[in-house]
Amino acid sequence: MSRRAYRGVALAALIFLVVQVGALALVPTFFEQGYQTVEDPSDPTNSLLYIGAIIAMTAFMLAAFKYDLDQLIRLVIVFTSGLLAWYVFAALVPSALVAVGLSAAVALALLVYPEWYVIDAAGVLMGAGAAALFGISFGLLPAIVLLSVLAVYDAISVYKTKHMLDLAEGVMDLRIPVVLVIPTTLSYSILGNEFASDANEVSDGGNATDGGESAAAAADAEADTAADDSDPGDRDAFFIGLGDAVMPTVMVASGAFFSEAPSLGFGALPALNLPALLAMVGTFAGFSGLMWAVMKGRAHAGLPLLNGGAIGGYLVGSVVAGVPLVSALGLAPYL
């Protein structure tokens, strides 16, 4: 890889790390403030309901793009960004008024000046908040089911039906934090007139068309990559779906909150235990594989590698910590 490509990969890795550490830091506070969204976190049907919601949202967004309702999607995502930012700020600042003001500022910045660093900052807030919420709401078995099914769905939607490529094409044009923007040069700006046309130059994994842009892009829980025949590392930016950062972090947060393993006693992250730590390590192992594939210039689904790494790392961490595998899988209540 070129030096520019290494810078981009390093920035993407830093964003993933901030999302994971942020989620771990928010887990105890979110639980104390009653943010748990389900009555029985151990019920695996919670995962199936969420997966159904993802599929429904995907269908809605594809229909919206087809009927030129792009701005409706943009407004929905910006509102969601502000809402998740409020969850995070409400947990971090003592004043409710300040939390509302900060979250409103995030939404306003996305509307009036959606430069790449604004999008990425909003994405980090959304990612950490969403992963912490799901982490305390999805027990170990539901989290494993959720990540496993979404990994399969991601692979099908990228390699088979390829509708996620169509969705990525529409989403990137809106400049919203569903997609993280990873520049490889400091001079890059997403606000240039050519961004929309370049972002839409997404192929199905072969050659990109006129724009010569390569992208790793996604909506909700998927990421796809497209490239032309030139060196993918020479592009000015690439794009990674926010869901690729959020979904494996759900396993990290769930493992930290629900696992029987003791805390590692790390003061700033009291929820961190060995299963959660190795889930993070596994995520970055999957991330390394994904970035290697991305730089080869082919379209790839991110979640099979990322979720697989997170689940595998979590299970290894559980065994090393002395947690019985049945308990680690969340099957003890059913046996």
Side-chain angles (χ1 to χ4, degrees), residues 280-293:
M280 295 174 67
V281 172
T283 299
F284 280 97
F287 174 85
S288 299
L290 178 62
M291 289 298 99
W292 177 83

Side-chain angles (χ1 to χ4, degrees), residues 297-315:
R298 297 296 304 275
H300 287 281
L303 293 187
L305 287 169
L306 296 165
N307 287 1
I311 294 171
Y314 160 75
L315 291 176

Side-chain angles (χ1 to χ4, degrees), residues 4-333:
R4 288 173 59 179
Y6 278 116
R7 285 199 297 263
V9 171
L11 176 59
L14 177 62
I15 291 174
F16 270 58
L17 180 62
V18 173
V19 168
Q20 294 197 331
V21 171
L24 283 170
L26 290 169
V27 159
T29 304
F30 273 18
F31 180 70
E32 291 169 4
Q33 295 189 0
Y35 286 173
Q36 199 170 62
T37 59
V38 298
E39 292 185 4
D40 182 8
S42 66
D43 185 355
T45 60
N46 296 332
S47 301
L48 301 180
L49 291 173
Y50 181 70
I51 292 164
I54 288 179
I55 295 173
M57 185 61 180
T58 300
F60 169 72
M61 293 177 72
L62 288 171
F65 293 138
K66 180 178 180 180
Y67 293 105
D68 296 324
L69 298 175
D70 303 39
Q71 292 307 309
L72 174 61
I73 295 297
R74 186 165 187 259
L75 291 174
V76 169
I77 298 300
V78 168
F79 173 78
T80 303
S81 300
L83 180 62
L84 285 170
W86 176 81
Y87 274 102
V88 174
F89 289 130
L92 297 178
V93 299
S95 170
L97 185 61
V98 172
V100 170
L102 290 173
S103 58
V106 170
L108 183 62
L110 288 171
L111 285 175
V112 302
Y113 192 73
E115 185 54 273
W116 67 265
Y117 46 82
V118 174
I119 292 172
D120 288 355
V124 167
L125 284 172
M126 288 180 67
L133 284 172
F134 290 134
I136 64 174
S137 301
F138 287 83
L140 299 173
L141 178 59
I144 292 171
V145 170
L146 176 69
L147 268 65
S148 299
V149 175
L150 287 181
V152 173
Y153 173 70
D154 193 25
I156 293 172
S157 64
V158 173
Y159 302 130
K160 192 71 174 177
T161 66
K162 301 184 180 178
H163 67 267
M164 202 51 60
L165 292 170
D166 296 330
L167 189 59
E169 181 179 350
V171 166
M172 282 192 293
D173 200 26
L174 298 180
R175 300 183 178 96
I176 52 178
V178 168
V179 175
L180 300 169
V181 184
I182 312 298
T184 60
T185 175
L186 293 177
S187 62
Y188 177 78
S189 174
I190 201 175
L191 298 177
N193 292 331
E194 296 182 356
F195 170 73
S197 60
D198 286 344
N200 287 331
E201 304 296 349
V202 181
S203 73
D204 61 359
N207 298 326
T209 54
D210 302 337
E213 281 284 328
S214 299
D220 290 318
E222 292 76 28
D224 323 303
T225 307
D228 62 2
D229 288 331
S230 63
D231 183 357
D234 291 337
R235 74 193 78 158
D236 290 331
F238 58 94
F239 306 84
I240 300 179
L242 178 61
D244 279 351
V246 172
M247 285 302 126
T249 306
V250 172
M251 189 74 255
V252 174
S254 179
F257 187 70
F258 290 102
S259 175
E260 300 173 4
S263 169
L264 293 177
F266 190 65
L269 298 173
L272 182 64
N273 55 25
L274 193 58
L277 178 61
L278 290 194
M280 295 174 67
V281 172
T283 299
F284 280 97
F287 174 85
S288 299
L290 178 62
M291 289 298 99
W292 177 83
V294 164
M295 292 307 162
K296 294 295 183 180
R298 297 296 304 275
H300 287 281
L303 293 187
L305 287 169
L306 296 165
N307 287 1
I311 294 171
Y314 160 75
L315 291 176
V316 170
S318 297
V319 171
V320 173
V323 178
L325 193 57
V326 170
S327 297
L329 291 169
L331 294 174

